[in-house]
Amino acid sequence: AKKKAEEKAKADKKEAEKKAKEAKKKAEAAKKKADEEAKKAKAEAEKKKKEDDKKKKAADKQKGEVNKAKKVADDAKKKLDAANGAIQGTNKKIGEVSKKITSAEEALEAAEKKKDRKKMEELLSQIDGYEKDLENINKQQSKLKADAAKVKGDFDKKNAAVASENKKLESLLPKAAPAPAPKEEKKPEPKKEAPKPEAKKET
């Protein structure tokens, strides 16, 4: 019986050693796998960081391009505002000269009634002068309007360049986290049976 017990103890020891060996082997394999995964994850993180840095650099450079385009467009806007301001100025002058003509015509009417020939001649000469002024202002305004149209075309072009540079910048910026998925649309409630049209009463 003693021998039997010894043999059993030996066998148990052997079995325990075998199990320990297997467990050690399993643990080593798991550690190796974890190390490999950690290494892979680290490499991927580094790669992503490099890409992000590259994108950030490109985005910063593009921000400079956007600002440059904005400055150019702002200058064009100032020119356009000045051109429009000049046109407004001629409108004001036209209004003033038109008032003078109206006032002189009224005075002329009064002079005609009094048959004051001298006054009439004086007023006719005045009106003539005002009309020449008006003609000159209108010519000036036409030229200003033509210039303003060119300036407007230039401004539109510069403004479009800003939009284009902004678009490029957006493509370089990290995409915003996707908006939360729209809440599940409420399933249309089962349509309540529309009240059946009452059978037309036969007349």
Side-chain angles (χ1 to χ4, degrees):
K2 193 183 175 188
K3 200 176 178 186
K4 227 178 190 182
E6 276 173 9
E7 276 172 11
K8 192 180 181 297
K10 240 184 204 177
D12 286 351
K13 191 185 173 193
K14 214 173 185 183
E15 185 65 25
E17 278 171 3
K18 190 183 170 190
K19 277 186 180 165
K21 241 184 201 174
E22 278 173 8
K24 192 182 173 193
K25 209 175 179 182
K26 265 188 191 167
E28 278 170 1
K31 186 180 179 295
K32 193 180 175 190
K33 194 181 174 191
D35 287 349
E36 276 170 9
E37 280 174 2
K39 205 175 174 184
K40 195 177 165 189
K42 192 183 173 195
E44 275 174 11
E46 277 171 7
K47 188 183 170 191
K48 190 179 182 301
K49 190 181 181 297
K50 267 184 192 168
E51 280 172 7
D52 288 349
D53 287 349
K54 197 175 168 187
K55 273 187 186 171
K56 190 181 179 298
K57 232 181 196 174
D60 287 344
K61 190 181 173 197
Q62 187 55 29
K63 274 178 193 166
E65 292 301 317
V66 169
N67 289 333
K68 214 186 284 177
K70 274 184 181 169
K71 192 181 180 304
V72 172
D74 284 347
D75 290 344
K77 175 83 168 70
K78 279 174 193 163
K79 282 182 188 169
L80 180 61
D81 288 345
N84 284 331
I87 292 168
Q88 290 298 325
T90 53
N91 279 336
K92 195 178 171 193
K93 282 181 189 172
I94 288 169
E96 286 166 1
V97 175
S98 296
K99 266 185 193 170
K100 284 179 184 174
I101 291 173
T102 305
S103 162
E105 281 172 345
E106 283 168 1
L108 178 64
E109 228 174 88
E112 277 172 352
K113 279 177 186 167
K114 287 179 184 171
K115 297 189 169 57
D116 186 342
R117 194 172 287 276
K118 194 182 173 198
K119 185 74 175 164
M120 280 162 66
E121 278 173 10
E122 197 182 296
L123 287 163
L124 281 166
S125 164
Q126 252 182 42
I127 290 169
D128 197 38
Y130 291 149
E131 280 174 347
K132 274 180 185 152
D133 285 349
L134 201 56
E135 198 180 320
N136 288 332
I137 297 166
N138 277 321
K139 274 182 192 167
Q140 190 190 352
Q141 191 180 69
S142 295
K143 187 180 178 301
L144 286 169
K145 280 182 176 173
D147 289 345
K150 281 179 198 165
V151 176
K152 170 89 167 69
D154 185 50
F155 168 69
D156 289 343
K157 210 187 285 178
K158 304 277 167 66
N159 226 10
V162 174
S164 162
E165 294 298 345
N166 258 327
K167 214 171 188 182
K168 285 182 199 169
L169 176 61
E170 277 168 26
S171 71
L172 293 167
L173 292 172
K175 297 277 179 287
K183 285 180 185 167
E184 275 188 36
E185 286 181 27
K186 285 183 183 169
K187 288 179 183 148
E189 287 178 20
K191 285 184 184 169
K192 287 180 186 163
E193 289 279 312
K196 287 179 183 154
E198 284 179 27
K200 283 183 185 168
K201 288 176 186 167
E202 286 180 22
T203 42

